Short mmCIF file of all heavy atoms in Angstrom, two decimals:
data_model
loop_
_atom_site.label_atom_id
_atom_site.label_comp_id
_atom_site.label_asym_id
_atom_site.label_seq_id
_atom_site.Cartn_x
_atom_site.Cartn_y
_atom_site.Cartn_z
N TRP A 1 -126.27 -63.44 9.72
CA TRP A 1 -127.53 -62.72 9.88
C TRP A 1 -128.07 -62.97 11.29
O TRP A 1 -128.47 -62.00 11.90
CB TRP A 1 -128.53 -63.10 8.79
CG TRP A 1 -128.20 -62.63 7.44
CD1 TRP A 1 -127.23 -61.75 7.03
CD2 TRP A 1 -128.86 -62.99 6.21
NE1 TRP A 1 -127.20 -61.63 5.63
CE2 TRP A 1 -128.22 -62.34 5.12
CE3 TRP A 1 -129.98 -63.79 5.86
CZ2 TRP A 1 -128.66 -62.47 3.79
CZ3 TRP A 1 -130.41 -63.97 4.59
CH2 TRP A 1 -129.77 -63.23 3.54
N ILE A 2 -128.23 -64.23 11.59
CA ILE A 2 -128.73 -64.53 12.92
C ILE A 2 -127.89 -64.01 13.99
O ILE A 2 -128.39 -63.48 15.02
CB ILE A 2 -129.03 -66.06 13.06
CG1 ILE A 2 -129.96 -66.58 11.93
CG2 ILE A 2 -129.56 -66.42 14.46
CD1 ILE A 2 -130.09 -68.07 11.87
N GLY A 3 -126.55 -64.21 13.88
CA GLY A 3 -125.66 -63.73 14.92
C GLY A 3 -125.71 -62.21 15.12
O GLY A 3 -125.58 -61.76 16.24
N ASN A 4 -125.90 -61.53 14.01
CA ASN A 4 -126.03 -60.01 14.10
C ASN A 4 -127.26 -59.63 14.93
O ASN A 4 -127.27 -58.71 15.65
CB ASN A 4 -126.07 -59.29 12.74
CG ASN A 4 -124.75 -59.50 12.03
OD1 ASN A 4 -123.73 -59.73 12.64
ND2 ASN A 4 -124.79 -59.35 10.72
N ASP A 5 -128.36 -60.39 14.77
CA ASP A 5 -129.57 -60.17 15.53
C ASP A 5 -129.35 -60.31 16.99
O ASP A 5 -130.02 -59.62 17.81
CB ASP A 5 -130.67 -61.14 15.10
CG ASP A 5 -131.45 -60.64 13.82
OD1 ASP A 5 -131.14 -59.50 13.42
OD2 ASP A 5 -132.26 -61.41 13.32
N GLU A 6 -128.39 -61.29 17.38
CA GLU A 6 -128.10 -61.53 18.80
C GLU A 6 -127.47 -60.19 19.47
O GLU A 6 -127.46 -60.15 20.69
CB GLU A 6 -127.20 -62.70 18.95
CG GLU A 6 -127.85 -64.02 18.51
CD GLU A 6 -129.08 -64.37 19.32
OE1 GLU A 6 -128.99 -64.24 20.58
OE2 GLU A 6 -130.09 -64.70 18.75
N ALA A 7 -126.93 -59.36 18.60
CA ALA A 7 -126.20 -58.24 19.20
C ALA A 7 -127.07 -56.87 19.12
O ALA A 7 -126.67 -55.91 19.54
CB ALA A 7 -124.93 -57.98 18.46
N HIS A 8 -128.23 -56.96 18.49
CA HIS A 8 -129.07 -55.83 18.23
C HIS A 8 -130.38 -55.78 18.93
O HIS A 8 -130.89 -56.83 19.29
CB HIS A 8 -129.24 -55.56 16.69
CG HIS A 8 -127.99 -55.44 15.93
ND1 HIS A 8 -127.77 -55.98 14.66
CD2 HIS A 8 -126.85 -54.78 16.25
CE1 HIS A 8 -126.55 -55.71 14.29
NE2 HIS A 8 -125.96 -54.92 15.19
N TYR A 9 -130.88 -54.64 19.16
CA TYR A 9 -132.17 -54.47 19.89
C TYR A 9 -133.30 -55.02 19.11
O TYR A 9 -134.17 -55.71 19.64
CB TYR A 9 -132.42 -52.98 20.11
CG TYR A 9 -133.40 -52.65 21.10
CD1 TYR A 9 -133.08 -52.56 22.49
CD2 TYR A 9 -134.78 -52.55 20.80
CE1 TYR A 9 -134.13 -52.32 23.46
CE2 TYR A 9 -135.79 -52.29 21.73
CZ TYR A 9 -135.46 -52.16 23.06
OH TYR A 9 -136.36 -51.88 23.97
N ILE A 10 -133.38 -54.74 17.81
CA ILE A 10 -134.43 -55.23 16.96
C ILE A 10 -133.97 -56.39 16.14
O ILE A 10 -132.90 -56.28 15.45
CB ILE A 10 -135.00 -54.09 16.03
CG1 ILE A 10 -135.59 -53.00 16.88
CG2 ILE A 10 -136.04 -54.65 15.05
CD1 ILE A 10 -136.02 -51.76 16.12
N ARG A 11 -134.71 -57.48 16.06
CA ARG A 11 -134.30 -58.64 15.35
C ARG A 11 -134.89 -58.52 13.81
O ARG A 11 -136.02 -58.14 13.72
CB ARG A 11 -134.87 -59.90 15.93
CG ARG A 11 -134.33 -60.23 17.27
CD ARG A 11 -134.80 -61.63 17.77
NE ARG A 11 -134.16 -62.70 17.04
CZ ARG A 11 -133.03 -63.27 17.38
NH1 ARG A 11 -132.36 -62.80 18.48
NH2 ARG A 11 -132.50 -64.18 16.63
N LYS A 12 -134.06 -58.82 12.90
CA LYS A 12 -134.47 -58.83 11.50
C LYS A 12 -134.99 -60.27 11.12
O LYS A 12 -135.93 -60.34 10.31
CB LYS A 12 -133.37 -58.43 10.57
CG LYS A 12 -132.96 -56.95 10.78
CD LYS A 12 -131.87 -56.53 9.82
CE LYS A 12 -131.50 -55.10 9.89
NZ LYS A 12 -130.43 -54.73 8.98
N GLN A 13 -134.34 -61.24 11.63
CA GLN A 13 -134.77 -62.70 11.31
C GLN A 13 -135.60 -63.21 12.50
O GLN A 13 -135.12 -63.97 13.25
CB GLN A 13 -133.50 -63.51 11.17
CG GLN A 13 -132.49 -62.96 10.20
CD GLN A 13 -133.01 -62.88 8.79
OE1 GLN A 13 -133.77 -63.68 8.32
NE2 GLN A 13 -132.60 -61.88 7.99
N GLU A 14 -136.83 -62.70 12.56
CA GLU A 14 -137.65 -63.02 13.66
C GLU A 14 -138.10 -64.52 13.78
O GLU A 14 -138.44 -65.03 14.84
CB GLU A 14 -138.98 -62.21 13.64
CG GLU A 14 -138.67 -60.78 13.81
CD GLU A 14 -139.93 -59.83 13.85
OE1 GLU A 14 -141.02 -60.47 13.60
OE2 GLU A 14 -139.81 -58.64 14.08
N ASP A 15 -138.00 -65.26 12.59
CA ASP A 15 -138.41 -66.62 12.53
C ASP A 15 -137.20 -67.56 12.81
O ASP A 15 -137.34 -68.71 12.68
CB ASP A 15 -139.16 -66.99 11.29
CG ASP A 15 -138.27 -66.71 10.09
OD1 ASP A 15 -137.34 -65.82 10.15
OD2 ASP A 15 -138.48 -67.37 9.03
N ARG A 16 -136.03 -66.99 13.08
CA ARG A 16 -134.81 -67.81 13.28
C ARG A 16 -134.23 -67.44 14.69
O ARG A 16 -134.46 -66.36 15.20
CB ARG A 16 -133.82 -67.53 12.22
CG ARG A 16 -134.33 -67.85 10.78
CD ARG A 16 -134.49 -69.36 10.57
NE ARG A 16 -134.88 -69.66 9.21
CZ ARG A 16 -134.82 -70.83 8.71
NH1 ARG A 16 -134.40 -71.85 9.37
NH2 ARG A 16 -135.17 -71.07 7.43
N ASP A 17 -133.46 -68.42 15.27
CA ASP A 17 -132.88 -68.23 16.55
C ASP A 17 -131.53 -68.83 16.62
O ASP A 17 -130.96 -69.29 15.62
CB ASP A 17 -133.79 -68.71 17.65
CG ASP A 17 -134.16 -70.18 17.45
OD1 ASP A 17 -133.44 -70.95 16.83
OD2 ASP A 17 -135.15 -70.67 18.11
N VAL A 18 -131.01 -68.94 17.82
CA VAL A 18 -129.64 -69.48 18.05
C VAL A 18 -129.61 -70.94 17.60
O VAL A 18 -128.53 -71.39 17.06
CB VAL A 18 -129.25 -69.35 19.53
CG1 VAL A 18 -128.00 -70.21 19.83
CG2 VAL A 18 -129.02 -67.91 19.86
N ASN A 19 -130.66 -71.70 17.75
CA ASN A 19 -130.63 -73.10 17.36
C ASN A 19 -130.28 -73.26 15.85
O ASN A 19 -129.65 -74.12 15.44
CB ASN A 19 -131.86 -73.86 17.75
CG ASN A 19 -132.01 -74.10 19.16
OD1 ASN A 19 -130.95 -74.30 19.86
ND2 ASN A 19 -133.16 -74.02 19.74
N ASP A 20 -130.97 -72.36 15.07
CA ASP A 20 -130.70 -72.30 13.62
C ASP A 20 -129.30 -71.90 13.32
O ASP A 20 -128.59 -72.59 12.50
CB ASP A 20 -131.63 -71.32 12.91
CG ASP A 20 -133.12 -71.67 13.01
OD1 ASP A 20 -133.49 -72.80 12.55
OD2 ASP A 20 -133.92 -70.93 13.62
N MET A 21 -128.72 -70.96 14.00
CA MET A 21 -127.32 -70.55 13.78
C MET A 21 -126.41 -71.72 14.11
O MET A 21 -125.41 -71.90 13.33
CB MET A 21 -127.03 -69.35 14.61
CG MET A 21 -125.56 -68.92 14.51
SD MET A 21 -125.27 -67.18 15.09
CE MET A 21 -125.70 -67.38 16.84
N LYS A 22 -126.60 -72.43 15.21
CA LYS A 22 -125.80 -73.54 15.56
C LYS A 22 -125.83 -74.65 14.47
O LYS A 22 -124.81 -75.21 14.13
CB LYS A 22 -126.20 -74.13 16.85
CG LYS A 22 -125.90 -73.24 18.08
CD LYS A 22 -126.63 -73.70 19.28
CE LYS A 22 -126.34 -75.12 19.81
NZ LYS A 22 -127.09 -75.52 21.00
N SER A 23 -127.07 -74.88 13.97
CA SER A 23 -127.20 -75.88 12.85
C SER A 23 -126.43 -75.47 11.62
O SER A 23 -125.68 -76.26 10.97
CB SER A 23 -128.62 -76.10 12.48
OG SER A 23 -129.38 -76.63 13.54
N PHE A 24 -126.53 -74.13 11.33
CA PHE A 24 -125.79 -73.64 10.12
C PHE A 24 -124.26 -73.68 10.29
O PHE A 24 -123.51 -74.09 9.42
CB PHE A 24 -126.22 -72.25 9.83
CG PHE A 24 -127.62 -72.10 9.38
CD1 PHE A 24 -128.28 -70.84 9.51
CD2 PHE A 24 -128.45 -73.14 9.09
CE1 PHE A 24 -129.54 -70.67 9.05
CE2 PHE A 24 -129.76 -73.06 8.71
CZ PHE A 24 -130.38 -71.72 8.73
#
C-alpha cells in the first residue's frame, strides 16, 4: 500500500511513509 503511494500523484496512506515501508 505504501509502495503504491510512492508511484502515484495522490497518496492514500497519508500518515505513512517510506520509513514505515522499510520497517514492514
